[in-house]
Amino acid sequence: MACSLLLRATAPARRLFQAARPTRGEECAAARSRIVLAVPPPAASAPPSPRGSSTRRPAPDRAGQVRSSRPASFSTSTRGEAMADGMEAPHVVEDCRGVLQVLSDGTTVRSAAAPYTVEDRDDGRVEWRDAVYHPAHGLGVRMYRPARREAEGRLPVLAYFHGGGFCIGSRAWPSVHACCLRFAHELPALVLSFDYRLAPEHRLPAAHQDAADALAWLRDRLAPGPADGSGSDGDVQAWLADSGADPGRLFVSGDSAGANIAHHMAARFGAAGLDPVKTAGYVLIMPAFTSEAPTQSELGSRGSAFLSRDVAERYNRLALPAGANKDYPLMNPLGPDSPGLGLVGGRVLVVVGGDDMLKDNQVRYVERMKAAGNDVELALFAGMEHGFFSRDPWSETSGEVVRVVGRFMGRDAADSTGADGQD
């Protein structure tokens, strides 16, 4: 699948970020959640695979691997008893691809299984391991490196945030795992795939706050400074150093909701905000940008599309803070209350699917970025729906995405230096 690079502009940009604070509505929503069923994140101390201490294969999803908690006041009456008492039993009011369900009584139920599967090509060419970057929230990171380095020298670092409408998704999902395997092998690069808190238990801006914490955690391990109290694995820093991580070439990326996060990290950190680590660029793969006024690509989208208007509205209802609409600044960077794109710093690549219902908002973002003087590139893939990269990561079209990202990361590489000033 051919890809066309349409826009590029350069100019200095100011960097500033103002994170929204959690609302009381978010706290109340969390309090109403009586049961949470979820698979705990993979333990960083799980036994290694036969391939080596730094490589493990994902455990198969099993619906029985869940945790549940109930307040003491929870009623265990059956549906028949509830009906007899004149009370209707809880029923599903929101369903996100069968992975997340919200019941009429506020219960949140999460499945252990991913909504779709991909081919397992974890063949040992890439080594990976898990760690915890935010113990207080139980958030993990999966780190990847090529098993064999073709030449001496440092490798760029790619921080990656998964998609899922801010409501579902995991670094351990087979689709996310496959994307990171391909990035690590074919770029090649060190890839760190970060989890973040999900809605509706944790509405926005929780995901963006976690992403900022993740990048600060990574900065402190690429270029150690004072202890930050994050309690990471003691050997993560050594693992990154032994892998040839280049602290002068950090790229921040994500797909869909994760690409939205990447934009806001560019607005917060830009190219210099993680000093002494240099952020060399941001890669936004089909970013989830919304607007209260529907666009032509949204109005013309098919109801059977992977991301339809109905599915998108469901994500918005669950992820947005109480009282917010689709022009909420963390969802619409072009909205009336948004701080403006002049705050974005660093080079940006935006990957767009030609049949994505969010296409118009994505293209408008690139145009406004150009007008604000930012260095931005647009890669448009004709005929592709939202999420094509993560849903089919081994396809030839997805391979072209990886090559486009590689060319973007390689641009100006000859002028790139590490944090210590050495090539």
Side-chain angles (χ1 to χ4, degrees):
M1 172 65 67
C3 166
S4 56
L5 298 181
L6 304 183
L7 298 175
R8 180 180 294 173
T10 61
R14 295 172 297 147
R15 291 164 290 276
L16 180 65
F17 179 86
Q18 296 178 336
R21 297 182 178 273
T23 64
R24 178 163 182 82
E26 176 186 355
E27 297 171 354
C28 293
R32 287 197 303 270
S33 181
R34 296 184 178 176
I35 307 176
V36 178
L37 300 182
V39 178
S45 59
S49 79
R51 288 207 298 266
S53 61
S54 61
T55 308
R56 292 198 300 276
R57 302 180 73 85
D61 289 323
R62 289 181 290 180
Q65 294 180 333
V66 296
R67 294 181 298 179
S68 68
S69 60
R70 302 179 179 181
S73 60
F74 182 83
S75 171
T76 58
S77 61
T78 66
R79 178 178 176 85
E81 291 170 344
M83 296 288 284
D85 291 340
M87 298 173 58
E88 182 180 359
H91 59 277
V92 176
V93 294
E94 300 281 9
D95 186 299
C96 293
R97 306 195 188 282
V99 175
L100 165 67
Q101 292 183 330
V102 179
L103 306 187
S104 55
D105 65 351
T107 298
T108 302
V109 180
R110 291 187 178 273
S111 169
Y116 46 87
T117 60
V118 301
E119 181 183 355
D120 181 5
R121 296 192 188 180
D122 192 352
D123 55 9
R125 292 183 296 178
V126 173
E127 297 174 345
W128 60 272
R129 56 166 293 178
D130 287 310
V132 175
Y133 80 89
H134 201 314
H137 294 324
L139 296 174
V141 54
R142 181 163 289 180
M143 306 183 297
Y144 302 79
R145 66 184 179 188
R148 189 174 306 163
R149 292 166 63 182
E150 299 299 329
E152 291 300 321
R154 292 175 172 178
L155 291 174
V157 180
L158 181 71
Y160 187 80
F161 297 95
H162 65 75
F166 299 105
C167 297
I168 59 177
S170 167
R171 74 188 190 279
W173 275 11
S175 55
V176 178
H177 185 66
C179 290
C180 294
L181 288 172
R182 191 161 195 181
F183 275 138
H185 174 65
E186 296 182 22
L187 289 176
L190 298 180
V191 180
L192 292 94
S193 177
F194 291 96
D195 279 338
Y196 49 88
R197 286 174 293 168
L198 299 173
E201 300 94 325
H202 306 283
R203 293 174 180 263
L204 299 180
H208 298 80
Q209 293 169 339
D210 293 341
D213 289 342
L215 294 183
W217 176 91
L218 178 57
R219 173 201 61 204
D220 293 341
R221 280 139 195 87
L222 289 174
D228 62 2
S230 63
S232 69
D233 284 355
D235 62 344
V236 167
Q237 178 185 328
W239 192 91
L240 292 170
D242 292 343
S243 304
D246 185 351
R249 297 183 65 204
L250 170 64
F251 293 84
V252 180
S253 181
D255 176 75
S256 190
N260 173 300
I261 289 173
H263 158 75
H264 288 287
M265 296 305 100
R268 175 165 184 165
F269 295 113
L274 288 165
D275 185 70
V277 172
K278 179 183 177 182
T279 309
Y282 295 83
V283 179
L284 282 54
I285 303 175
M286 289 162 283
F289 294 150
T290 64
S291 59
E292 191 65 15
T295 65
Q296 287 301 311
S297 61
E298 181 180 348
L299 293 172
S301 64
R302 297 178 293 105
S304 59
F306 177 75
L307 181 66
S308 65
R309 296 186 70 186
D310 178 66
V311 171
E313 290 292 338
R314 189 173 305 129
Y315 287 140
N316 289 325
R317 286 194 298 269
L318 295 174
L320 289 171
N325 63 23
K326 290 181 289 185
D327 282 335
Y328 179 60
L330 289 180
M331 288 302 300
N332 183 4
L334 310 179
D337 299 321
S338 299
L341 299 179
L343 305 176
V344 177
R347 300 191 293 120
V348 180
L349 168 68
V350 184
V351 175
V352 175
D355 287 351
D356 187 349
M357 65 165 278
L358 301 179
K359 178 188 71 174
D360 287 354
N361 282 329
Q362 296 160 353
V363 172
R364 186 179 302 161
Y365 167 82
V366 173
E367 293 170 345
R368 294 275 290 275
M369 284 276 286
K370 176 183 176 182
N374 293 302
D375 182 348
V376 58
E377 299 178 26
L378 170 64
L380 178 64
F381 287 80
M384 293 292 104
E385 288 190 8
H386 189 85
F388 75 87
F389 175 67
S390 59
R391 287 189 296 130
D392 193 6
W394 300 117
S395 71
E396 176 56 30
T397 304
S398 292
E400 181 60 17
V401 171
V402 175
R403 289 186 285 273
V404 167
V405 172
R407 289 193 290 270
F408 174 80
M409 292 173 65
R411 181 186 140 202
D412 304 329
D415 299 327
S416 177
T417 60
D420 59 2
Q422 298 179 358
D423 292 338

